[in-house]
Amino acid sequence: TDPTKAPEAAITTLNPDAAHPAAWLNPVYSSTGGLNLLGFKEPEIDKQLNAALAQIDPDKATQQFSAVAEAAGRQYYATGIADRRDVFAANSGISGFSHVPVYIWVARLADLEKN
């Protein structure tokens, strides 16, 4: 991958299937990440991501992921450009819909009640 040939901007939806920081950071900021749309490659960021992922102490891992997100964000900027509303259609006998934060098109199933 030649970063000089990467686009300067990309519009995308990142919708990981887990709330874990690695599910949000690795696809974009890891040089081996699944998206890496802009050809981001920084060996120190890769090293920090791998260390955070290997960390077994949850508090230390959170600190490490926060640090790597801050470091990567100084070099590679991502911003939200839309805050869309989700629409759900349901049987009139179901109530208690609440949205799962961060995830689009997902309702918190545990909150649903049968009327």
Side-chain angles (χ1 to χ4, degrees):
T1 303
D2 181 354
T4 63
K5 294 181 180 174
E8 293 185 20
I11 297 174
T12 185
T13 298
L14 177 59
N15 193 26
D17 59 358
H20 193 275
W24 290 87
L25 294 171
N26 284 43
V28 177
Y29 295 119
S30 171
S31 63
T32 60
L35 295 177
N36 199 2
L37 296 173
L38 303 179
F40 183 78
K41 184 173 183 175
E42 176 56 55
E44 186 58 29
I45 297 295
D46 285 341
K47 181 180 172 184
Q48 291 175 13
L49 281 169
N50 291 335
L53 194 55
Q55 178 56 253
I56 59 172
D57 180 310
D59 293 331
K60 288 181 181 177
T62 297
Q63 291 172 351
Q64 287 176 306
F65 278 117
S66 294
V68 73
E70 188 175 316
R74 284 192 295 268
Q75 299 179 49
Y76 177 99
Y77 188 72
T79 186
I81 60 170
D83 185 9
R84 305 289 305 178
R85 292 181 184 218
D86 286 344
V87 176
F88 292 93
N91 182 304
S92 62
I94 298 175
S95 63
F97 276 94
S98 61
H99 188 266
V100 175
V102 183
Y103 293 103
I104 56 176
W105 312 302
V106 179
R108 192 183 336 261
L109 298 178
D111 292 348
L112 298 180
E113 297 177 8
K114 189 173 183 180
N115 297 332

